[in-house]
Amino acid sequence: MDITQVAGSRDDFQLVRHITVAGSQEEIGRQLAQEARRIGWQPAPADPEVNRARREWFARHWPQHLARMNGAAAALGLDPGQDEVTLDGLTALPQACSALWVPPSAATDGHGRIGRNYDFFTMTTSELMGTPPVPDELPMASRPHVITTRPADGLATTVLTMTEFDGCMDGVNEAGLAVVLLIADFESAEPPEDFSPQAGVNSVQLPRFLLDTCETAEEARAALREVTSYDFGMPLHYLIADARGQAFVWEGPGHVTEAGDGALCVTNHLLHRHPDPKALPADTPESFASYARLRTLHERSQDAVMGPADLRASLLEVAQTGDPSMRTLYNSFLDTAERTMTVRFYLGEGRGHSPEVVFSPSP
């Protein structure tokens, strides 16, 4: 396992590390669990019946993840078949984000790309919950990791995760499938009350599941129709695109927005409730300008031919620059032709963002 510091420092808002790990899925799971444990992760108590159901579901639908859980058990000296604790990490955090898919047909160089702003609170978990921060508590989104896995028996992937090593905010695999997640309905979002795991995949594991098991948007759509997922009461939606130029937004069974031949914009309201970008309602204080951001992205991308600089300029126009309690903590650009993820990270007030760093699932 190779760990490098790729952006920021302890004096900056974000300090970002890139983990690269290879081997069997079980070896990858063992190494990631060792690193996660080093920075504070511990397996959580679990309902034994639910835990058995989870392992059975993973065995049928996501064997890569089950093998990595077995590796985590080995790292902890536990029986992988035990039922008392979970061996993966769970998280679900709200994000006020913006994303824009530019298909190959609308790109100056023929490369399909997803560009996205990851907008999040700059406060600690305690502050977000309305209490003073505890001593030495870091802002909750200040230590992201980029994780590249190159298994001997599956698809290589690169993902960006904020908290858990088996989650994924943004990611791309070696086949050129790219996935980003965004909160689906910010106006009605509330902090989750129950993080108990269930059989299936949680909302931030879902992108990792797709990247591990699918190579095309068509395969991802079929997998989503069959997957069992749960969202802790905070529904997310997902922008999914592939190297063939196909893309769609998934908001649950029966709610798929196809990109067709043009650009596709996503912010933080349900597209199936407001399908027409020209007929969006007015924003409220709770919507975090979701409708205005989508209007702007739509106006910039409609019938346009866009290069990388145009995509970056569009996202800059809808970045979070007002209340300092929320900032665009990173910009990512996922190139489905090159199979790369390029990211710049927020360093703090007056410091701006880091230089762009390019990651790839391939060596």
Side-chain angles (χ1 to χ4, degrees):
M1 180 168 60
D2 179 64
I3 304 176
T4 57
Q5 185 172 316
V6 293
S9 69
R10 295 187 182 278
D11 295 327
D12 294 314
F13 180 84
Q14 287 190 317
L15 187 156
V16 187
R17 292 184 173 92
H18 180 207
I19 298 175
T20 303
V21 60
S24 69
Q25 296 285 5
E26 186 167 335
E27 290 168 340
I28 288 171
R30 176 180 56 79
Q31 294 176 74
L32 289 177
Q34 288 172 336
E35 175 61 15
R37 191 179 189 189
R38 185 188 69 79
I39 60 176
W41 172 79
Q42 291 292 336
D47 180 301
E49 184 175 351
V50 172
N51 222 15
R52 285 193 294 273
R54 296 184 77 230
R55 288 202 312 274
E56 291 169 2
W57 192 93
F58 292 141
R60 292 194 304 272
H61 303 286
W62 196 8
Q64 300 94 331
H65 187 66
L66 180 62
R68 293 194 291 263
M69 288 172 61
N70 292 343
L76 297 168
L78 297 176
D79 177 359
Q82 60 76 42
D83 298 321
E84 289 73 29
V85 296
T86 61
L87 293 168
D88 55 350
L90 305 177
T91 185
L93 298 172
Q95 311 93 21
C97 305
S98 305
L100 173 60
W101 159 249
V102 177
S105 59
T108 56
D109 57 1
H111 286 208
R113 289 183 180 86
I114 295 175
R116 85 98 124 237
N117 290 341
Y118 183 89
D119 302 331
F120 196 74
F121 299 104
T122 56
M123 59 189 72
T124 64
T125 300
S126 298
E127 290 171 315
L128 189 62
M129 302 304 292
T131 60
V134 301
D136 300 321
E137 183 178 8
L138 293 169
M140 59 195 306
S142 64
R143 294 295 182 267
H145 284 77
V146 177
I147 301 177
T148 296
T149 57
R150 296 177 179 141
D153 49 351
L155 290 164
T157 67
T158 291
V159 303
L160 198 163
T161 178
M162 276 295 168
T163 52
E164 303 294 348
F165 283 3
D166 61 352
C168 174
M169 308 290 118
D170 309 52
V172 62
N173 69 19
E174 64 179 311
L177 186 72
V179 186
V180 301
L181 64 78
L182 307 88
I183 198 165
D185 187 3
F186 214 109
E187 287 180 286
S188 62
E190 295 182 359
E193 296 181 358
D194 183 10
F195 283 100
S196 300
Q198 303 171 30
V201 294
N202 70 42
S203 51
V204 295
Q205 289 177 330
L206 185 57
R208 189 72 165 266
F209 164 72
L210 295 176
L211 295 171
D212 276 347
T213 61
C214 302
E215 297 188 12
T216 66
E218 182 179 0
E219 290 179 4
R221 189 182 293 105
L224 287 165
R225 285 196 294 264
E226 301 296 328
V227 74
T228 300
S229 61
Y230 54 100
D231 60 17
F232 301 113
M234 286 199 314
L236 305 180
H237 51 191
Y238 305 86
L239 174 55
I240 300 158
D242 67 18
R244 301 178 182 180
Q246 303 301 306
F248 66 97
V249 172
W250 174 266
E251 295 181 334
H255 299 304
V256 177
T257 301
E258 303 283 355
D261 295 328
L264 181 56
C265 312
V266 195
T267 52
N268 302 113
H269 58 269
L270 291 163
L271 297 184
H272 73 267
R273 289 184 186 170
H274 303 287
D276 185 357
K278 298 179 181 179
L280 296 173
D283 278 295
T284 68
E286 291 75 28
S287 68
F288 284 88
S290 178
Y291 304 116
R293 284 184 279 120
L294 193 136
R295 286 191 201 96
T296 297
L297 292 176
H298 176 73
E299 290 168 0
R300 292 186 67 103
S301 61
Q302 185 180 29
D303 301 323
V305 177
M306 303 182 74
D310 303 306
L311 182 56
R312 285 163 169 77
S314 296
L315 291 174
L316 183 62
E317 190 165 337
V318 297
Q320 296 288 338
T321 58
D323 185 345
S325 67
M326 179 175 282
R327 283 289 178 262
T328 297
L329 297 188
Y330 67 77
N331 312 105
S332 63
F333 304 93
L334 293 88
D335 188 319
T336 60
E338 292 187 349
R339 281 75 162 162
T340 57
M341 180 173 69
T342 301
V343 193
R344 64 181 197 130
F345 298 93
Y346 178 67
L347 301 181
E349 291 297 297
R351 303 183 188 184
H353 289 73
S354 71
E356 291 186 343
V357 188
V358 181
F359 306 95
S360 173
S362 301

